[in-house]
Each structure stands twice: as C-alpha cells, then as structure tokens.
C-alpha cells in the first residue's frame, strides 16, 4: 500500500510540474508582445529598426526624453492623471452612499433600483456616445476634462455599485450600532465605520476605477478635440495612426501608459485584492 | 431612531435617483425621443418623422453589412476568450507552489489600455521590426501579412481575445476554486478518470457561470468600438466592413444623421436588454431545476 501511495505521489508531483511548466510557457507567450514593447522602449531607435532580433545590448532613456519633447505629451500626462483621479473621487462619492443604501436598507423599490443601476452595465459606450456628447454640448463641456470625467464616471458606476453592495454586505451591521447610539450621522458612519472595516476591498475598487479611467480610450477620444484635453491613450492612438510609425516613441509611450497599471497590479497582489479588482468589472 | 433611519433612506434614495437619472435616464430618454425626429442644420432645427429613422436604419444596406461584420467579429472572439480562459482556469485552479505568480501573469493584460494592446500586437507582428514573423520562419511557417484589409478581422479577434481573456479567466477561476474539494475526493475514490470527473463535478458546477460569461462577453464584444477603430487606424478598413459600433459612430459623427443614430442605438440597447432579461429568466429556471435534481438525489456527484 505504501509503495502504491508513493507511486501516486510521484505521478501527481510529475503532473503538477508539467502543468506548472506548461502554464508558465503559456503565460510568457501571452505576455511576450507586451514585454517586447517594454524592452524595446529602452533600446536605441537604431537597434529597434536595424537589429530588431538581437538581444538588447545597449540600454537608453533617450526614447523617453524624446517622448517628453513631443508637443502635448506633458499636457496629456497631466490630463490623464487628473481625469483618473477625479473619476475615482466622483465614482466613490456616488457609489459608496448608493451601495450603502442598497446593502443596508430594506425599502419598497430596492430591487428595482438595484436592477436599474445594473442595467447601466448593458449600455455600450458606442450607444451612449451621441446622447452624452449632446448633453455635454448643452453645458459647454465638450472638449473639457470635466466632460471626460463625467463619461468615465457613467462607465464605472454600474460595476462600482455592484461591488460596493457586495463589499458593504460583508461588513456586519452591528459595528454601526454603537456609532448610531453615539449619534453619528450617515456620512460619518460610512466614512469612519463602514469604509475602514472594508478598507482593502474599497481600496481595490478605487484602484480598479482609477485603472479603467487611466486606460480608457473611446470617451476621451470622443470628448477631447485637441492638445488641451487629450489623454495619453488618445495621444498614443494619434501617434499610431500617423503617416510613419516611430516605433521607439510608440514603445516608450506604451510603457508609460502601462506603468501605473503594472504598479497597481503589483500593489494589489501584495495586499491580495486583485481577484476582487477583476471580479466585478467589465472588460 | 426609526425616524432617523427613514430620513436617511429617503435621502439616499433621492440621491440614487438623481445620479442614475442624470447618468442613464436622461441620455436614454434623449435617445428614445430623438429617434423620432429628423435633424437639420447641425441639430438647430428638427422635424417629427415618426418611425422613419427606424425604417431607414433597418433598410440601410450598411446595417445588414455591419450586423454580419459584428457577428464575424463577436462569435470567434467570444469562443476564444471563454475557451482559453476555461482551460487556463482549469489548469491553475489548484493551490500549487508558484501558481500565485502564474495567475498574476495570466491576468496582467486586463490592466492594459486597448491602445497599448493594439500597438503591442502590431509591433510584435510587424514584418520589419517584430519578432513574430522571424519566429514563424524559424519553425518553417510562412508569416502572414497582418497589415492589409484581409487581416483586419483576424487582428481584431486576436486583440479582443487578448484583452478580454484575463477578465473571463478570473471569473471562471473564482467559480472553480469554490467547488468543494470533497466532491473531487468522492469521484477519485470511485475511480473516475479526469473526463468523468469533469463531466460529473466540474461542468455541472460551472455551467451557469460559463453561460452567463458567454452572454456578457457577447453583449460587450458585439458593440465594441475601440478594437475595430484602432485596428482600422493601422489597416485599411476590414473587408467585412464596419462593425455595428463603428457604424453608429460614423452615422452620428461623420454623416451627422442624428435621428438615425438614435434609432440604431435604441434598437441595439433594447435587443441587449431583451437578451439579458431572457438569460436571467432562463438561468433562474435552470437553477431551480438543478436544486430539484440535487434534492431528489438524481444528480449525485
């Protein structure tokens, strides 16, 4: 029996090693296009074009320096940061209280409210493009960062509500009772009791919203009309759609765009919130 | 206390209605109302045309062309997204050393912008600077030129699969790790082979999730704008023509046919909601049937 058991163990270990090797091979193959672009971002332009398949021998930051000198790059970087930050703040300001409402109170129409909020999930950006554009035009917000923030909040709100409800449901209502007896108001209870009790999940949600806004292309492309309001994804698309492809700049800009997402992913992995980050969002 | 709670509830409900109304109610009403009008002088004047915009939309040859282009884009993309994700989730569902990093690597593309993914793939497959053609020629495969109009659709499918695969993977993985280990132990003791275990344990547990994911991915991919648009930016238009999302965009912003674009948008939203509603109803019935099977002991695993 012992021999049979060790045979099974050996077989299972071999199986696990084979699965691991195969899994890492597939994962590397999946990441190869991205790794290639990041590695190329640090290679001289002459190497990218002249010796593309050689192992990188020279490392340079020249591509990033040249990128910085592109008219509008600095503006686009600041715009992207501002849009992502304000989208995160605005989405949290709307999703936290409404998610709290749906998770905590039992009232007539609760289910309907939840359904309506989640139906926003089924609005594809292309469908909302025209009404949003006209709505923003009415208020003079076309070609403004506020307009882009508005569309990003609308895009992020449905899944943020769904996640906030799940997060708040996991926080026991009893911990609020003391604060209520203390006479704490609604905002204070949400901000000082409920949110701290679920801080990692709320952090994950905020990271997700930030990332989605940072990488979003369509609404920024629609609302922005020039350098003043252009975000990094739109700048990258503009450079990519140009007459000649300057690969060294495209690689550097792609790396800059990917960097915050990678950092967030690493940090999210460190605090073990990544599964939650991707669980409720749309791709 | 009750009065305070009631007041808080009323305030939050009001807030929710205002936010949802402004974000979705007003635009949707605008779409529904606007689809009944014809607009002139860049929207400065309008004329009531009843359902003429809908008739014009459905009779437009571009509609049927874009419908089939979307179909040709969506079906392979969703099959590949869900298929790859399912296999990857099955392989990595166990807690083995090193699998944490592996899962992380598999979900990494989710955090990248679509523009970065398009540029990365274009760079990777470029015949002059990309390694893919060289790698293919090393193993004796002639490299296809991925830059022309005939390649636009395959490139769109590759990019859509690449960027959506991690989301699908994480959802399936989350469901797979919830399956009680005891179910697998029972089948192992009964001497079931991996296929039998999959059919008796895994599939019944994940089938609803897979169904829901397929539907969700269809609804999202069907009206995806950024992937076709960015792929067109580098290639000539696809020989399949514009997809529905690009068709709506061109109708609204290039051809300035506002009423027709509204009609197209409302038709597509209604269709999406109808499909979603049907899925919710059907999945509830499946769930109830599953519970009945379980409780009657007809599906013991």
């Amino acid at each position: 029996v012992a021999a049979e058991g060790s045979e099974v163990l050996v077989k299972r270990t071999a199986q696990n090693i084979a699965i691991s090797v195969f899994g890492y091979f597939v994962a590397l193959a999946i990441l190869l296009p991205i790794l290639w672009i990041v590695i190329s971002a640090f290679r001289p332009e002459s190497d990218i074009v002249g010796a593309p398949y050689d192992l990188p021998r020279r490392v340079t930051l020249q591509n990033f320096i040249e990128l910085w000198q592109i008219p509008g790059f600095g503006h686009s970087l600041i715009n992207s940061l501002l849009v992502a930050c304000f989208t995160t703040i605005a989405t949290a300001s709307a999703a936290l209280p409404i998610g709290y409402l749906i998770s905590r109170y039992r009232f007539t129409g609760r289910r309907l409210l939840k359904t309506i909020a989640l139906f926003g999930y089924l609005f594809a950006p292309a469908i909302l493009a025209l009404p949003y554009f006209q709505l923003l035009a009415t208020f003079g917000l076309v070609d403004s960062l506020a307009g882009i923030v508005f569309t990003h909040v609308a895009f992020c709100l449905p899944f943020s509500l769904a996640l906030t409800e799940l997060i708040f449901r996991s926080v026991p209502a009893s911990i609020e009772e003391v604060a209520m007896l203390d006479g704490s108001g609604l905002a204070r209870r949400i901000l000082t009791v409920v949110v701290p009790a679920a801080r990692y999940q709320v952090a994950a949600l905020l990271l997700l919203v930030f990332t989605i806004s940072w990488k979003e292309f369509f609404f920024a492309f629609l609302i922005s009309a020039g350098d003043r309001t252009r975000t990094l994804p739109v700048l990258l698309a503009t450079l990519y759609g140009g007459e000649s492809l300057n690969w060294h700049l495209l690689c550097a800009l792609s790396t800059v765009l990917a960097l915050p997402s990678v950092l967030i992913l690493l940090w999210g992995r460190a605090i073990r919130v990544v599964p939650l980050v991707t669980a409720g969002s749309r791709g | 206390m009750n009065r305070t709670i009631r007041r808080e509830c009323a305030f939050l409900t009001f807030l929710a209605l205002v936010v949802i109304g402004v974000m979705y109610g007003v635009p949707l009403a605008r779409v529904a109302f606007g689809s009944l009008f014809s607009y002139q002088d860049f929207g400065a004047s309008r004329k009531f045309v009843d359902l003429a915009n809908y008739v014009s939309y459905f009779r437009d040859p571009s509609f049927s062309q874009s419908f089939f282009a979307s179909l040709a884009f969506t079906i392979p993309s969703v099959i590949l997204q869900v298929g790859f994700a399912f296999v990857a989730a099955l392989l990595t569902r166990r807690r083995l050393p090193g699998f944490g990093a592996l899962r992380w690597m598999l979900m990494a593309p989710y955090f990248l912008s679509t523009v970065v993914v398009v540029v990365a793939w274009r760079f990777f497959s470029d015949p002059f600077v990309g390694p893919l053609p060289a790698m293919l020629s090393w193993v004796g495969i002639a490299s296809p030129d991925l830059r022309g109009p005939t390649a636009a659709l395959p490139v769109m499918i590759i990019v859509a699969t690449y960027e959506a695969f991690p989301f699908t993977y994480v959802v399936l993985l989350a469901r797979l790790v919830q399956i009680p280990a005891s179910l697998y132990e029972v089948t192992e003791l009964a001497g079931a082979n991996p296929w039998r275990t999959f059919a008796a344990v895994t599939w019944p547990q994940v089938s609803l999730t897979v169904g829901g994911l397929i539907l969700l991915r269809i609804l999202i991919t069907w009206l995806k704008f950024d992937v076709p648009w960015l792929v067109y930016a580098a290639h000539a238009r696809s020989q399949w023509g514009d997809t529905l999302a690009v068709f709506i965009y061109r109708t609204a912003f290039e051809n300035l046919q506002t009423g027709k674009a509204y009609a197209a948008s409302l038709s597509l939203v209604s269709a999406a909601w109808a499909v979603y509603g049907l899925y919710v109803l059907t999945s509830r019935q499946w769930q109830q049937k599953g519970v009945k099977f379980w409780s009657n002991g007809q599906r013991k695993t």
Side-chain angles (χ1 to χ4, degrees):
Chain A
V1 173
E4 242 178 59
S6 66
E7 200 179 303
V8 169
L9 194 69
V10 168
K11 197 177 160 190
R12 192 164 288 175
T13 310
Q15 217 174 37
N16 290 342
I17 290 171
I19 290 174
S20 291
V21 171
F22 178 69
Y24 273 99
F25 178 76
V26 171
L28 271 177
I30 286 172
L31 289 181
L32 202 55
I34 302 299
L35 291 175
W36 186 257
I37 214 165
V38 172
I39 291 167
S40 301
F42 294 94
R43 296 179 74 189
E45 186 191 0
S46 56
D47 284 10
I48 296 175
V49 180
Y53 314 126
D54 289 359
L55 282 174
R57 286 192 206 102
R58 290 183 293 164
V59 175
T60 177
L61 291 175
Q62 184 56 37
N63 298 338
F64 293 94
I65 295 167
E66 214 176 303
L67 181 68
W68 184 256
Q69 287 159 353
I70 289 180
F73 172 76
H75 238 102
S76 300
L77 182 64
I78 294 166
N79 288 344
S80 278
L81 279 170
L82 285 174
V83 166
C85 287
F86 279 107
T87 299
T88 309
I89 294 167
T91 306
S93 309
L96 291 178
I98 301 173
Y100 180 83
L101 168 76
I102 299 171
S103 70
R104 280 290 194 268
Y105 298 98
R106 299 284 170 271
F107 56 94
T108 320
R110 175 179 166 271
R111 214 185 158 123
L112 182 69
L113 186 68
K114 200 174 152 182
T115 312
I116 292 171
L118 287 179
F119 261 34
Y121 218 76
L122 297 179
F123 281 121
I127 286 171
L128 289 174
L130 184 56
Y132 277 171
F133 189 85
Q134 294 195 329
L135 194 69
L136 293 173
T138 311
F139 294 100
L141 291 175
V142 170
D143 196 22
S144 74
L145 295 184
I148 301 175
V149 169
F150 176 85
T151 53
H152 284 189
V153 173
F155 185 64
C156 294
L157 201 56
F159 71 77
S160 300
L161 285 177
L163 278 179
T164 318
E165 194 221 342
L166 277 179
I167 292 167
F168 286 168
R169 254 201 290 168
S170 70
V171 178
S174 56
I175 65 164
E176 273 182 82
E177 282 166 10
V178 178
M180 279 181 100
L181 289 171
D182 243 12
S184 298
L186 178 70
R188 195 162 169 195
R189 280 202 321 276
I190 294 177
L191 293 174
T192 62
V193 180
V194 184
V195 171
R199 56 189 175 279
Y200 289 131
Q201 292 97 320
V202 173
L205 174 66
L206 299 184
L207 288 181
L208 175 65
V209 173
F210 182 92
T211 312
I212 287 180
S213 177
W214 172 264
K215 67 180 192 157
E216 201 279 336
F217 166 73
F218 176 61
F219 283 125
F221 162 74
L222 185 77
I223 307 296
S224 155
D227 278 355
R228 206 173 57 84
T229 52
R230 191 178 283 158
T231 59
L232 283 181
V234 181
L235 179 68
L236 180 58
T238 310
L239 287 181
Y240 176 58
E243 287 284 308
S244 61
L245 294 175
N246 292 308
W247 283 118
H248 63 299
L249 295 178
L250 289 171
C251 291
L253 184 48
S254 298
T255 306
V256 171
L257 244 173
L259 190 67
S261 307
V262 173
L263 291 178
I264 283 172
L265 190 62
L266 285 172
W267 187 67
R269 184 168 137 70
I271 63 167
R272 297 177 183 281
V273 294
V274 166
L276 183 89
V277 164
T278 34
S281 61
R282 51 177 163 186
Chain B
M1 181 85 85
N2 274 348
R3 209 174 141 194
T4 314
I5 289 174
R6 266 204 300 273
R7 221 178 325 158
E8 285 176 3
C9 183
F11 168 72
L12 288 175
T13 310
F14 174 73
L15 179 76
L17 290 175
V18 169
V19 170
I20 292 167
V22 171
M23 292 285 175
Y24 311 107
V26 172
L28 190 63
R30 202 162 182 144
V31 169
F33 187 70
S35 68
L36 304 174
F37 289 87
S38 165
Y39 296 82
Q40 286 92 32
D41 306 326
F42 299 101
S45 62
R46 66 181 184 205
K47 192 177 126 200
F48 182 72
V49 291
D50 213 330
L51 297 176
N53 286 323
Y54 291 89
V55 175
S56 156
Y57 168 58
F58 285 113
R59 282 192 180 159
D60 189 338
S62 299
F63 161 68
S64 52
Q65 168 272 312
S66 58
F67 180 87
F68 286 111
S70 290
L71 210 62
F73 168 52
T74 305
I75 292 175
S77 302
V78 173
I79 291 172
L80 290 173
Q81 286 163 23
V82 179
F84 278 136
F86 196 32
V87 173
L90 279 175
L91 286 174
T92 57
R93 76 183 164 79
R94 280 178 286 183
R95 285 192 171 276
L96 295 176
F99 268 36
L102 182 59
R103 289 174 181 177
W104 174 84
M105 285 167 76
L106 288 170
M107 67 177 85
Y110 175 79
F111 292 87
L112 298 169
S113 172
T114 308
V115 197
V116 173
V117 175
V118 171
V119 172
W121 269 98
R122 172 78 169 79
F123 184 53
F124 193 64
S125 63
D126 188 90
F128 304 109
V129 293
L132 185 65
M135 285 157 78
L136 289 175
S137 72
W138 288 337
V139 290
I141 301 172
S143 174
D145 187 1
L146 293 177
R147 294 174 302 164
T150 48
L153 183 66
V155 173
M156 278 157 57
I157 293 168
I158 291 171
V159 171
T161 305
Y162 191 82
E163 65 158 18
F165 157 85
F167 166 79
T168 320
Y169 164 71
V170 170
V171 175
L172 285 171
L173 184 66
R175 182 68 196 98
L176 281 171
V177 295
Q178 282 173 358
I179 301 175
S182 56
L183 292 178
Y184 288 105
E185 284 159 14
V186 171
T187 51
E188 202 176 328
L189 284 173
N193 62 31
W195 288 114
R196 182 82 191 111
T197 307
F198 175 80
V201 180
T202 312
W203 182 247
Q205 294 279 335
V206 295
S207 52
L208 266 183
T209 310
V210 172
L213 264 176
I214 289 173
L215 179 74
L216 185 67
R217 291 313 319 167
I218 287 175
L219 292 177
I220 290 172
T221 314
W222 183 250
L223 289 174
K224 214 160 179 37
F225 173 85
D226 48 7
V227 173
W229 186 261
L230 289 163
V231 171
Y232 294 168
H235 302 74
R237 281 194 202 180
S238 159
Q239 61 176 7
W240 285 78
D242 288 339
T243 59
L244 280 168
V246 178
F247 170 70
I248 291 177
Y249 175 82
R250 288 196 204 278
T251 307
F253 294 99
E254 288 182 3
N255 305 334
L256 301 176
Q257 293 175 300
T258 312
K260 192 171 162 184
Y262 277 143
S265 300
L266 193 65
S267 311
L268 293 169
V269 166
S270 311
W273 283 4
V275 172
Y276 180 73
L278 202 67
Y279 168 75
V280 170
L281 288 176
T282 324
S283 64
R284 269 192 201 146
Q285 282 173 357
W286 285 349
Q287 256 170 335
Q288 280 162 3
K289 274 182 194 169
V291 170
K292 273 182 201 162
F293 266 130
W294 194 272
S295 57
N296 291 343
Q298 291 176 17
R299 194 195 269 183
K300 280 189 176 166
T301 48

